[in-house]
Amino acid sequence: MARKQGSDTEATNGLEFQDSVSTLLERRGVTRREFMKFCTAMSAALALPPAFAPRIVRALDEVKRPTLVWLEFQSCTGDTEALLRASNPTVAEIVLDILSIDYAETIMAAAGHLAEANLDKVVREEKGTYIAVVEGSIPMKDDGIYCCIAGRTALDRAREVCGGAFATLAVGTCASYGGIPAAAPNPTGAVGVKAAVPSATVVNLPGCPLNADNLTATVVHFLLFKKLPATDGLGRPLFAYGKRIHDNCERRPHFDAGQYVEAWGDQAHRHGHCLYKMGCKGPETFHNCPTQRYNDKTSWPVAAGHGCAGCSQPMFWDSMTPLYKRLPNVPGFGIEATADKIGLGLAVGTAAAFGVHGVLSAFRRGDDSEGAKED
Amino acid sequence: MGHLYEKYVWEIPVRATHWVNVLSIAVLTLTGIYIGSPATLGATPSDYVMGWVRFVHFTAAYLFAVSVASRIYWAFRGNRYASWREFFPILTPAGRRNMLATFRYYTFLCKKGPQPVGHNALAGTTYALVFVLYLVMIVTGFTLYAEHAPLGTMHKLTGWLLVLFSNQTLRLTHHCVMWLLIGFAIHHVYSAWLMDVKERGGVMSSMFSGYKAVRTKD
C-alpha cells in the first residue's frame, strides 16, 4: 500500500496530491484501458447502469486521496488477507492504494509508538473527513480488556477513531455483528462496531471473509456520489446485500425442478444439483456471492459443491448451525432433538391422549344431553 | 325438559371461514412439509416440482390470511355466537364458572358439563389461542416470503422482524407452530365428535347447516 513504496512515496508525496489518479496509475504501470475496465466493473458491482462508468472515471480522476485507517480488533485477519489476495496486483488494489492508508497494522511499515502517532495525527487533523475501516469484533466485558492495542482497549480506540470519522466501514462479519468471537457463550462480550459505538456512521460489509470487491465498490460509491450507499435494515449496502443468494444461485433451477443432493458425493452432487437438503443457507442469506464470487471471481462455496453457511447474516454461528441441516435445533433441548421429532411426538401424544379419553367416555353413562340449553 | 327446536347459530361467514381454514391448513401443512424436507421428484432440470409446490403453498397462504382476516372482522359484526366475546369467557364470572365446569366434565370429575348454544367455554378460549397461532403463522410466513423482494412493500412492512429475530428463528417458529396446529386439529376433531355424541346438539352437522338442536328453558 502507499507506505510500501518507501522512498519513492516520500519523494513524490507532495506531487501525488496534485496528480490525478490516472496519472498515478500510469506511473505504476496500469494502462488507461485497464483503468477503464476497472471503472466499468465497478459500475456493475454497484448495480449502476453502464452509463455511469465514465462518471466513475471522472470521480476517480478528481479524487484527492481521502485518508483511510484500518483498525483491527478481535479477528483472524481474514479480511485483510481477502483484500490482499483478491488482486496481485489489480487496479482494485491500486485504487485503494490511491487512498492514503495511514494506518493498517498488518501491512504498515511503521511500528510501535510511531504507528500509533500516525493514527493520532489522522484523528486530530482530519476530523470528520477520513474513512475508518474496522476488522474484527470489539469486546465489551470487563471494560474491554480482552483486546488492547498500545495499552488501550479496542472499545476506547474505536470510540475515538470511528467517532471522528466521516464514516466507518465494518468489514467482515465480526466487525459488523460480532461474528465468531460473539458466538455463544461469547466469553469476551464481543459486539460489532455499531453496537460498540452507536454514535458512529457505520456501513456493514459482512462476510467471512469480506468480499474485497464490495469494499472497493463502497469506496468508489463514496468517491462518486460523495455519500454512502443505501443500506438495508442490517446496515448493509443494498447493491451487494440486496438480494438473496438463493435467488441468484446457479443451482436454483435444480431447486425449482425438485432435484436435490441427498448425500455428499452422490450422483446428484456430481451433477451439480441443489444443496438445499444438505443444509444450504442460501435461501436465508443476503449477499452477492453468486454474481461477484471470491478470489477475482474464481469461485464461491456453492459453486465448489458446499452449501452456503450464511456467514454474512448476524450471529450466523449460532443461528445458521447445524450447518448441514435446514433448521436450527430447538433451543433448550439436546443436540439431536429436532423440531420434527418434538412435533411428531406432540401429534402422536395428542392422538393417544384423546384415544384414551374416547374409550373412557364410551363407557361413561348418564352424561347424555338433549341438545344445548337456550340461555 | 324444554321443547327442542332448530336454532340458527353459525352464520355463513363463520362456516365459510371455518371450511376455508380447514382446506387451506391441510394444503399448507402438506406443501409445507414438502418444502421443509423435499424428496427428489424432479427428473430433469426443466421439471418444476418445487416451483409448483411453493406456488400452491403461497396461494393457500393468501387464501388463509384473507379467511382469518374475514373471521376477525366478523367477530365484531356477526351474531352473539360469532362475537369475539365467545373467545374470552375468562373475562366474565359466568364464563370462568363455565370453563371450570367444562374442565371437570372433560376430566371425569363430574357427570354433566354445561350445554352451551355457541362455543363451550374451554373451546372458545382454545380458539383465541389458535387465532394467535394463526397470526404468528401469517406474519412469519409473509415475512419469509417477502425476502425474495427486499425493496417490496411487504418486506418494508415485515423487515423489522428480521432485525429483531433472525430469519432462522422465524423459520423454526413457522415450522413448530405447524406441529402445534396439527396437535390442535386432532384435539378439535375429537372434541367435536365427543360433543356430538354426548350433547346430541348436532354440532358436527351444524358446521355445515348452521343449525343446532336447542332446548327452550325449562
Side-chain angles (χ1 to χ4, degrees):
Chain A
M1 306 236 132
R3 289 295 177 265
K4 281 189 298 189
Q5 305 300 322
S7 58
D8 177 47
T9 310
E10 291 303 312
T12 57
N13 213 7
L15 277 178
E16 274 190 359
F17 279 97
Q18 284 127 42
D19 288 349
S20 74
V21 165
S22 45
T23 324
L24 283 167
L25 288 172
E26 255 176 69
R27 201 175 298 159
R28 293 183 194 199
V30 178
T31 63
R32 183 75 182 166
R33 186 178 167 77
E34 281 173 316
F35 178 59
M36 297 300 282
K37 265 169 70 182
F38 167 78
C39 293
T40 311
M42 274 301 120
S43 73
L46 286 166
L48 295 170
F52 267 87
R55 289 183 59 180
I56 292 175
V57 174
R58 235 175 295 139
L60 293 184
D61 265 351
E62 288 163 6
V63 68
K64 284 280 192 313
R65 278 175 51 99
T67 302
L68 190 149
V69 290
W70 185 295
L71 305 179
E72 193 169 336
F73 301 131
Q74 285 182 314
S75 87
C76 64
T77 320
D79 304 303
T80 301
E81 291 288 346
L83 180 71
L84 298 177
R85 293 287 181 280
S87 38
N88 201 14
T90 68
V91 191
E93 193 190 329
I94 292 164
V95 163
L96 279 176
D97 227 347
I98 293 315
L99 297 163
S100 175
I101 299 186
D102 288 12
Y103 185 89
E105 283 162 16
T106 310
I107 54 173
M108 65 189 170
H113 67 272
L114 289 173
E116 298 306 313
N118 254 359
L119 183 56
D120 289 336
K121 187 161 166 274
V122 171
V123 173
R124 198 172 53 245
E125 292 177 6
E126 299 182 53
K127 200 169 174 56
T129 58
Y130 64 93
I131 297 173
V133 174
V134 178
E135 174 179 6
S137 65
I138 297 169
M140 303 290 277
K141 211 180 260 180
D142 301 327
D143 297 324
I145 57 158
Y146 300 108
C147 180
C148 291
I149 298 147
R152 295 176 63 186
T153 63
L155 177 62
D156 188 24
R157 212 43 162 156
R159 275 190 184 136
E160 182 190 15
V161 177
C162 303
F166 168 79
T168 301
L169 310 179
V171 298
T173 304
C174 296
S176 300
Y177 313 117
I180 291 172
N186 193 0
T188 64
V191 296
V193 181
K194 187 67 190 174
V197 191
S199 61
T201 308
V202 179
V203 174
N204 290 326
L205 297 167
C208 193
L210 147 90
N211 189 327
D213 291 350
N214 291 336
L215 173 62
T216 314
T218 305
V219 173
V220 169
H221 186 286
F222 165 63
L223 297 175
L224 176 62
F225 296 112
K226 302 285 181 279
K227 64 176 186 191
L228 295 167
T231 55
D232 66 8
L234 297 166
R236 308 176 293 192
L238 287 168
F239 73 80
Y241 300 88
K243 280 186 179 149
R244 257 195 304 204
I245 285 193
H246 191 52
D247 294 330
N248 279 328
C249 181
E250 61 226 38
R251 292 174 190 251
R252 178 60 187 265
H254 296 293
F255 171 81
D256 287 332
Q259 295 181 300
Y260 305 99
V261 175
E262 307 276 350
W264 301 113
D266 70 1
Q267 189 81 353
H269 195 215
R270 289 201 293 278
H271 286 166
H273 291 178
C274 177
L275 293 159
Y276 182 79
K277 291 185 80 174
M278 305 310 287
C280 178
K281 301 301 187 296
E284 43 269 19
T285 304
F286 287 76
H287 208 163
N288 55 358
C289 300
T291 47
Q292 207 62 28
R293 305 185 154 209
Y294 274 83
N295 298 332
D296 281 343
K297 300 186 170 55
T298 313
S299 189
W300 66 294
V302 171
H306 189 282
C308 166
C311 72
S312 52
Q313 296 299 116
M315 308 318 292
F316 86 98
W317 200 255
D318 294 329
S319 71
M320 294 300 180
T321 47
L323 292 178
Y324 302 112
K325 281 184 182 156
R326 283 292 311 141
L327 285 173
N329 286 315
V330 182
F333 289 91
I335 45 168
E336 283 304 316
T338 66
D340 283 327
K341 282 184 188 160
I342 294 167
L344 199 60
L346 174 85
V348 170
T350 312
F354 289 114
V356 171
H357 194 277
V359 170
L360 290 174
S361 296
F363 286 110
R364 178 154 77 162
R365 295 274 171 253
D367 57 345
D368 298 344
S369 165
E370 289 292 334
K373 199 190 298 173
E374 195 174 59
D375 41 4
Chain B
M1 279 291 164
H3 169 66
L4 260 183
Y5 75 106
E6 295 272 288
K7 185 177 171 69
Y8 188 59
V9 178
W10 312 121
E11 296 160 296
I12 287 169
V14 174
R15 285 175 281 149
T17 55
H18 175 263
W19 292 113
V20 169
N21 288 353
V22 172
L23 176 76
S24 53
I25 289 173
V27 171
L28 284 164
T29 303
L30 291 173
T31 52
I33 286 171
Y34 181 80
I35 293 166
S37 179
T40 298
L41 296 178
T44 73
S46 53
D47 284 340
Y48 202 60
V49 177
M50 178 59 105
W52 278 111
V53 171
R54 292 176 76 235
F55 172 75
V56 171
H57 190 79
F58 300 146
T59 310
Y62 272 108
L63 188 67
F64 178 65
V66 170
S67 172
V68 169
S70 311
R71 183 61 184 83
I72 290 172
Y73 169 74
W74 201 251
F76 295 92
R77 283 294 312 277
N79 67 19
R80 53 174 300 193
Y81 306 109
S83 165
W84 62 272
R85 290 180 186 83
E86 284 274 294
F87 300 106
F88 299 99
I90 201 157
L91 296 180
T92 62
R96 286 194 288 273
R97 264 199 309 281
N98 278 338
M99 280 173 77
L100 185 67
T102 314
F103 179 78
R104 285 163 60 81
Y105 173 69
Y106 278 157
T107 50
F108 306 107
L109 292 175
C110 74
K111 275 216 160 211
K112 270 193 180 156
Q115 310 292 340
V117 175
H119 297 120
N120 87 45
L122 278 188
T125 309
T126 308
Y127 301 152
L129 289 172
V130 165
F131 264 80
V132 171
L133 294 183
Y134 285 173
L135 292 177
V136 169
M137 285 310 254
I138 291 167
V139 170
T140 54
F142 279 109
T143 305
L144 296 171
Y145 172 73
E147 285 194 301
H148 79 281
L151 297 175
T153 311
M154 196 187 287
H155 191 260
K156 279 180 184 147
L157 290 173
T158 57
W160 56 274
L161 270 166
L162 291 158
V163 178
L164 227 56
F165 307 97
S166 75
N167 170 302
Q168 286 289 82
T169 308
L170 296 183
R171 212 168 276 265
L172 184 64
T173 307
H174 197 70
H175 194 93
C176 289
V177 173
M178 172 195 77
W179 282 112
L180 290 179
L181 289 175
I182 290 173
F184 163 74
I186 294 168
H187 150 80
H188 183 63
V189 171
Y190 168 74
S191 300
W193 167 77
L194 182 74
M195 286 298 107
D196 203 61
V197 171
K198 299 294 184 185
E199 280 183 357
R200 299 183 183 174
V203 70
M204 288 289 229
S205 65
S206 77
M207 276 321 291
F208 296 95
S209 67
Y211 287 90
K212 277 181 89 173
V214 173
R215 269 181 296 148
T216 49
K217 275 190 196 140
D218 295 326

